[in-house]
Amino acid sequence: MGRSSLTALVPLLILTATTSACGVVSRNPAATLPAGTVHVLHSASVAQLPGGREARGAGLVGGHALLHVRETGVVTRVDRLTAQRWGLPDEVRADDGHELVWASLSLGGRQWRNSDRDVEWATISVLAGGVRTTLTVPLTGSMDPQAYADAVIVSVPHDAPVLLQLTDDGVTQSIDVRAGARIDDARGEYPRPLQDQGLRYAGNGAYPTGETVRFQALADGYSLEPWAPGLGWARDGRAWLAIKRLRVSGGEPREELTLDPSRTFSVTTPEGDVHVADSDRIAVDLSSGIIPHGVYVEVPATFRYGVLRFAPAGLKRGLDPVDWQRPPAPADFPISLS
């Protein structure tokens, strides 16, 4: 699919943030943090914040960014040694009637090669007490050593809700930091890592002239994605099944063979429903052997098992279907996402 996920470790630092209402971003924190203060932290050592508990399944997948909460905690103070390991100059405490809510994070960008859609970069924000604080952390495939943070801590009134939000291509998804869990606006769960074997195909066909043409196809696996480059977000209750790092070749450059995904790829579910690949694509010149955007099939978000059919007889020459004396045989490949 021409993309990668990046997670970077960075030197000891405190990143800044911008606040859309009246929240406070403290650059030189005193011992007591005022309500609304938000810090984005990183520890250069293996340091744990106090009162932590593992957050299970608290991950968000966007088109350009990945956000995962590893641990969350609620405390009234952070001792001096721990605070200094996280880049704070001294012990910090919550103000009277307040507490410190924190989350340790894994933030990553996603790089999409040859995307035909210009989408704004994703943003990460904290919503606490009705105040949204946007973290100034670039995420889209950035290799900037200051582009990633490892924790966020916010001072809020007792029991006040705290949300960590990922906004990407017009969709906002949230994690309840206190609960360490996604809330209802989060897109579906997507299993990863996924099947590795992918598909391997080799077959021959014959034109009406009797000339033989050979086809090959290779893909490294499959994944479910909420968003696809050039296609955007899948519909509610659906997901994009991505055929990862797909290469298809066949014929000679002079033959101008092209691939229309909707005529060539389909997925059948265990219930017998057939879903064809998205057709809103420019046909791919097979002489290059590379599918620059990847191939995506919209399936139910609950999809885990099925059969992918590759039917090279659906190829075209220019805009017209190819005539065959003997079409290349289709092939079926089992899919099992786990």
Side-chain angles (χ1 to χ4, degrees), residues 63 116-117 119 169 187 225-235 240 281 296 298:
D116 58 5
R117 187 173 185 180
V119 185
D169 193 13
R187 295 295 174 120
E225 305 286 346
W227 184 95
L231 298 171
W233 293 97
R235 293 175 292 172
W240 293 112
R281 299 282 181 155
Y296 299 87
E298 197 176 36

Side-chain angles (χ1 to χ4, degrees), residues 20-294:
S20 60
C22 56
V24 177
V25 177
S26 176
R27 297 176 182 272
N28 299 296
T32 299
L33 296 186
T37 301
V38 176
H39 282 301
V40 183
L41 312 172
H42 177 79
S43 175
S45 61
V46 181
Q48 288 186 315
L49 287 163
R53 63 175 183 174
E54 184 180 0
R56 295 184 177 273
L60 301 175
V61 180
H64 299 80
L66 306 170
L67 171 62
H68 179 68
V69 173
R70 299 191 298 268
E71 289 187 324
T72 64
V74 180
V75 295
T76 56
R77 64 181 289 271
V78 178
D79 66 84
R80 180 179 182 182
L81 179 59
T82 302
Q84 289 179 344
R85 285 177 174 173
W86 284 92
L88 299 172
D90 207 339
E91 171 184 337
V92 291
R93 301 175 181 175
D95 206 348
D96 290 343
H98 292 70
E99 52 196 354
L100 305 177
V101 180
W102 63 265
S104 60
L105 313 175
S106 174
L107 306 180
R110 309 179 82 188
Q111 293 179 326
W112 298 90
R113 185 176 301 136
N114 297 322
S115 175
D116 58 5
R117 187 173 185 180
D118 183 16
V119 185
E120 291 185 9
W121 283 13
T123 59
I124 302 293
S125 58
V126 174
L127 180 62
V131 178
R132 176 174 285 103
T133 301
T134 300
L135 311 183
T136 56
V137 182
L139 293 174
T140 306
S142 174
M143 296 303 292
D144 183 343
Q146 295 185 356
Y148 299 88
D150 271 356
V152 61
I153 187 168
V154 56
S155 175
V156 295
H158 281 293
D159 298 326
V162 179
L163 299 181
L164 191 62
Q165 296 185 317
L166 167 66
T167 301
D168 198 340
D169 193 13
V171 171
T172 296
Q173 305 177 70
S174 307
I175 291 173
D176 182 335
V177 178
R178 289 183 180 274
R182 295 144 42 102
I183 67 173
D184 291 343
D185 65 3
R187 295 295 174 120
E189 299 276 358
Y190 299 98
R192 58 181 83 227
L194 303 168
Q195 180 171 309
D196 291 328
Q197 69 184 47
L199 66 90
R200 305 288 187 275
Y201 175 90
N204 297 323
Y207 296 139
T209 61
E211 180 184 358
T212 298
V213 58
R214 179 174 175 80
F215 297 96
Q216 292 181 315
L218 178 68
D220 294 343
Y222 315 97
S223 65
L224 283 183
E225 305 286 346
W227 184 95
L231 298 171
W233 293 97
R235 293 175 292 172
D236 289 344
R238 314 281 283 183
W240 293 112
L241 177 70
I243 305 174
K244 301 166 64 176
R245 291 179 290 279
L246 176 65
R247 289 86 73 196
V248 179
S249 60
E252 300 294 334
R254 60 180 173 79
E255 294 173 328
E256 298 181 346
L257 293 178
T258 57
L259 180 150
D260 180 345
S262 67
R263 293 171 51 86
T264 314
F265 293 95
S266 64
V267 171
T268 302
T269 68
E271 296 76 24
D273 297 326
V274 178
H275 305 271
V276 299
D278 175 73
S279 61
D280 187 21
R281 299 282 181 155
I282 299 174
V284 177
D285 179 359
L286 293 190
S287 63
S288 70
I290 299 173
I291 312 301
H293 302 286

